[in-house]
Amino acid sequence: MVTNGVRPNRRGFADYIDDRPGDGVFRVDRAIYNDPDVLEAEYRNIFEANWVFLCHEAHVRNPGDYFATHIGRQPVFVVRKPDGGLGCYLNACGHRGATLVTARTGNTKGFVCPYHGFCFDTAGKCTAVSAPKTGWTEAHFDMADYDLTPVARLDSYRGLVFGSLAADVPELRDHLGAATALIDIFVAPAPQELEIVAGFSIYQTACNWKIMHENGPDAYHAPVVHNNFAQAVNFREKRESRSGVARTDTGRLTGRIESASYDLGNGHTAFWHKRPNPEAFPIYAQKAELEKQFTPGRVEWILGRGRHMTIFPNLLLNDLASTHLRCYRPLSVDRMETMIWCIAPAGEPPELRAARLRKFEDFFLPSGMATPDDVAVAESAQKASFAFNSKWTSMGRGIDFKIDGPDAAARELGMAPRASSNSWDHEIAMQGVYRRWLQMMERGEEHRRG
Amino acid sequence: MAEPVSAAAVAEFLYREARLLDSRKFGEWLDLFCEDAVFWAPAVGMDGAHTTIPELSLNFIYIVGRAGLEARVFRVESGGSLASNPLPQTRHLVTNVTVDSDGPGEVAAFANTQVVAFCEARGQQILNGSYEYVLRKENGRLRIARKKILLLEYVIDGYFDFFTI
Ligand code: FES
Ligand SMILES: [Fe+2]
């Protein structure tokens, strides 16, 4: 890792953000991407101080199902308890700290530590230790001393499971805020439950986690970075004369289309674009059903618009090329990990499921025809973040077009963003991310100083 | 009725395929594939096991029909893909070639592989795996009806493409 040898003296985290909307300026000091001290503070003040996404309920559907992951640096696992509720515990044995759950996922009645064999139930209670009588007198032995440490807060919204290591956080619903309206229609197309399709991908990128997080709400890059995707797919479709749901809607990448973007508050973002070919999407098969159930405005949101959102700091949900969930984790200041799943209505007809998956594989994954280019550009931005003599990254696009509060489309959905803008290629949503970043960093440091 | 094919002939065919990829003769490489060829690299489940039903589960790459492969070649040669520009250099090391069955029209073969790729932006990448082929006997020559690539690695550093596995 290259370290920041000429780190300028900063008075505080506010120095990283140049936020002057009146002058049409929003800029971020690029050292924010390469200063190891910043990442330490982010772990403390963001990842380990508020709600982060853990997994989908479908990952832990049955009693005993578990899912091992991280909150910031800290290993945790989520488990479905026999009563149907969820538990989430630090993934460190109460004895001498071996990793208790070593598989990513599985199903178990209880956990046996691989080191000295202590046993734990799905409620995190220590239920047995090896040879207690010869190791402790009764006066100094209390099995409860070895119980697992639960996370401070655990909750889920529409199947998305979140945990927090800090107790003093708002209710999950309030944390998600305006994003709930969009999460609702992400789920709404399925009268059935959503399921995680078999298979996932995990990949590491040599960039700071925020560079990839910014790439999500950034639709401005799509016609440039992904033009080659559109051209390749169009080439194939011409060659194969594809039709219907087997087609891929590349219109969003090659032409100017109606769109909008939103600063949802709390660092969450969203955008949508009008779908030039809505019939290319599996959900279109449910048109008649949806029209019976919902208002025309809502149906337009579901069928007619590609939708994208990020939930600060580590979740991305979208229904653009295909329906997917993506979860981020920083590994070091210049390395991050991404996990990605395809999510779909349970019981979807096989032809639609296959079409959904092929679109997913075309675009996403480290082996797709688009994600590698996102990764390449993110890694190039990481390298350029050391250009200290040209330190500002600009995110001012769209400032002059910003609408405070909801636009007409948001109102149709009953969604209350902090700000809206009439194009998906504006950067106002990203500004919301960095304002939230600064608020959490400053609040956390204040807290630490007492 | 086509002649039986020797293991040596199959190995020779696989080496030649690898050499076309390494020398970026992608057009000639595509010619080795049947029009209805399947190119399949399964992803893994959360347990690390490869997915088995390609149509209904997630794959790294699942292409049915040569046009899909042609599109991949088109993309990396277009110059518009930052990840493929410049194209990483590769060396395919193909070993342990065995013929699993030899029928009248088709041969099933297996091989192990290690592919070393290098580009300045990302340095060296090594991906290991095995190949399972179905080779079709067409007018006295072999063509690829199916190439399945089982990658050993599933936590991927960066990205990969059809020519780096
Ligand atoms: S560390 Fe787990 S039983 Fe000793
Ligand atoms: Fe992208």
Side-chain angles (χ1 to χ4, degrees), chain A residues 93 95-98 113 115-118:
Chain A
C93 174
H95 177 221
R96 291 240 302 281
C113 178
Y115 204 174
H116 311 94
F118 285 32

Side-chain angles (χ1 to χ4, degrees), chain A residues 360-376:
Chain A
F360 188 101
E361 292 153 357
D362 272 354
F363 198 93
F364 304 117
L365 303 181
S367 47
M369 291 191 281
T371 291
D373 294 324
D374 286 313
V375 168

Side-chain angles (χ1 to χ4, degrees), chain A residues 215 218 221-222 225-226 363 370-371 373-374:
Chain A
N215 174 265
D218 178 355
H221 80 278
V225 173
H226 304 310
F363 198 93
T371 291
D373 294 324
D374 286 313

Side-chain angles (χ1 to χ4, degrees), chain A residues 228 368-369 372-373 376, chain B residues 24 26 72-73 75-88 119 159-163:
Chain A
N228 71 82
M369 291 191 281
D373 294 324
Chain B
R24 289 106 167 254
F26 294 142
R72 289 241 166 196
V73 168
R75 173 174 166 272
V76 302
E77 288 185 334
S78 70
S81 156
L82 187 63
S84 339
N85 191 17
L87 270 184
C119 64
Y159 39 83
F160 65 89
D161 209 334
F162 69 92
F163 64 98

Side-chain angles (χ1 to χ4, degrees), chain A residues 67 104-105 197-204 206 225 228 231-232 235-236 239-240 335 341 350 353-354 357-358 360-361 365-369 372-373 375-377 379 383, chain B residues 35 43-47 51 54-62 64-68 70-72 74-75 78 80-84 121-122 154-160:
Chain A
F67 183 101
R104 272 183 198 286
T105 56
V197 180
F200 87 119
S201 179
I202 175 167
Y203 52 95
Q204 295 187 359
V225 173
N228 71 82
Q231 300 307 327
F235 168 93
R236 182 186 66 199
R239 171 95 159 63
E240 290 185 330
R335 200 163 184 81
W341 298 274
R353 175 62 59 87
L357 279 161
R358 300 300 84 80
F360 188 101
E361 292 153 357
L365 303 181
S367 47
M369 291 191 281
D373 294 324
V375 168
V377 85
E379 293 187 342
K383 288 175 183 161
Chain B
E35 181 62 28
V44 295
M46 296 296 294
D47 58 358
T51 52
E55 289 78 12
L56 299 179
S57 42
L58 196 63
N59 308 285
F60 280 129
I61 301 179
Y62 181 55
V64 179
R66 201 175 64 191
E70 288 169 12
R72 289 241 166 196
F74 172 92
R75 173 174 166 272
S78 70
S81 156
L82 187 63
S84 339
R122 298 211 92 255
Y154 61 83
V155 178
I156 301 298
D157 183 14
Y159 39 83
F160 65 89

Side-chain angles (χ1 to χ4, degrees), chain A residues 190-324:
Chain A
Q192 323 81 336
E193 271 178 287
L194 288 178
E195 66 181 13
I196 302 285
V197 180
F200 87 119
S201 179
I202 175 167
Y203 52 95
Q204 295 187 359
T205 309
C207 72
N208 184 265
W209 69 278
K210 296 186 295 299
I211 291 183
M212 199 53 96
H213 189 281
E214 272 168 35
N215 174 265
D218 178 355
Y220 197 26
H221 80 278
V224 180
V225 173
H226 304 310
N227 182 52
N228 71 82
F229 169 86
Q231 300 307 327
V233 164
N234 292 346
F235 168 93
R236 182 186 66 199
E237 299 199 343
K238 217 165 142 190
R239 171 95 159 63
E240 290 185 330
S241 11
R242 291 193 179 196
S243 63
V245 79
R247 286 194 53 210
T248 291
D249 190 359
T250 56
R252 72 195 154 91
L253 300 171
T254 49
R256 265 209 86 78
I257 46 175
E258 196 191 334
S259 65
S261 58
Y262 305 98
D263 168 0
L264 297 177
N266 288 348
H268 314 322
T269 74
F271 68 70
W272 60 263
H273 71 83
K274 188 153 180 73
R275 286 180 165 161
N277 299 296
E279 66 284 354
F281 294 86
I283 179 68
Y284 198 74
Q286 296 185 41
K287 187 168 189 276
E289 208 40 54
L290 291 167
E291 280 169 347
K292 265 185 252 158
Q293 226 177 315
F294 299 124
T295 61
R298 211 173 171 81
V299 174
E300 171 61 13
W301 262 100
I302 296 170
L303 294 182
R305 291 175 182 155
R307 288 159 276 124
H308 179 284
M309 85 188 101
T310 55
I311 305 296
F312 192 73
N314 74 330
L315 173 66
L316 182 156
L317 286 165
N318 83 27
D319 189 356
L320 295 171
S322 190
T323 41
H324 90 280

